[in-house]
Amino acid sequence: MKKIKKRSACPISFSLDFLGDKWTLLIVRDILLNNKNTFGEFLQSAEGIATNVLTDRLKMLETEGFIMKYPVPGKARVAYCLAERGIALIPIIMEMAIWGVSENNTEIKKELTAALKNDKEAVLSGLAKKHLAMYEQRKESRIEPDQVNV
């Protein structure tokens, strides 16, 4: 599992220690914006993450409390949702999306970007409420990190 090293007391450095890896942020993005929550769904993302890297990042995100693993009802597999610590990343992810759209002139997530420009606080609040509700609903069936492998 990717080890998180605290390099200094600087808050930006501390943030980068957790979020400086692109795969970490892309997994959070996929849960947040693309409604992906299983290993197979993450593998299908356009960026092409390797299975060993995905396994490592999922373990790290779960161990650090950004995501939570839960069983998929009726199936012999697990899924992931944002935990409270991951939900706290929503404003950061959205600011990165706004900046990326402005610098890349992309049409991807055009409606979301327009909504963010129109009423950012309402969009952030709505996303946070949605993911907090999912987390609360699944918390009872949570799988502890040492119970099942990815």
Side-chain angles (χ1 to χ4, degrees):
M1 179 173 67
K2 179 183 172 191
K3 299 288 184 201
I4 304 298
K5 298 178 192 171
K6 188 175 178 182
R7 294 173 286 165
S8 75
C10 170
I12 293 173
S13 179
F14 177 77
S15 298
L16 288 172
D17 289 339
F18 285 99
L19 306 173
D21 172 70
K22 73 177 180 178
W23 298 118
T24 301
L25 288 174
L26 291 174
I27 292 167
V28 173
R29 174 214 57 193
D30 278 349
I31 295 171
L32 177 64
L33 298 176
N34 298 329
N35 299 314
K36 294 183 180 189
N37 61 11
T38 66
F39 192 88
E41 290 171 339
F42 297 130
L43 283 177
Q44 294 172 2
S45 294
E47 293 82 12
I49 189 169
T51 57
N52 63 322
V53 175
L54 177 57
T55 298
D56 182 72
R57 295 315 183 273
L58 288 170
K59 285 181 183 178
M60 185 274 296
L61 283 164
E62 183 184 14
T63 299
E64 296 295 335
F66 288 98
I67 63 174
M68 180 187 72
K69 183 170 30 179
Y70 62 94
V72 176
K75 300 193 179 188
R77 62 180 174 165
V78 298
Y80 300 87
C81 67
L82 293 178
E84 290 171 344
R85 198 170 187 196
I87 292 167
L89 296 174
I90 291 173
I92 296 167
I93 300 290
M94 293 298 93
E95 287 297 333
M96 291 177 76
I98 292 168
W99 182 84
V101 166
S102 71
E103 294 297 315
N104 196 26
N105 295 323
T106 183
E107 294 295 317
I108 296 174
K109 302 285 183 195
K110 186 174 159 182
E111 292 157 3
L112 175 62
T113 306
L116 283 165
K117 288 180 181 177
N118 185 43
D119 191 352
K120 187 188 311 183
E121 291 306 316
V123 172
L124 296 178
S125 175
L127 283 168
K129 285 178 185 174
K130 172 186 169 186
H131 286 277
L132 188 57
M134 286 192 291
Y135 170 70
E136 291 295 334
Q137 178 184 16
R138 294 177 174 117
K139 197 164 44 170
E140 294 300 316
S141 62
R142 172 185 207 143
I143 298 173
E144 294 300 324
D146 59 347
Q147 283 182 307
V148 175
N149 291 331
V150 177

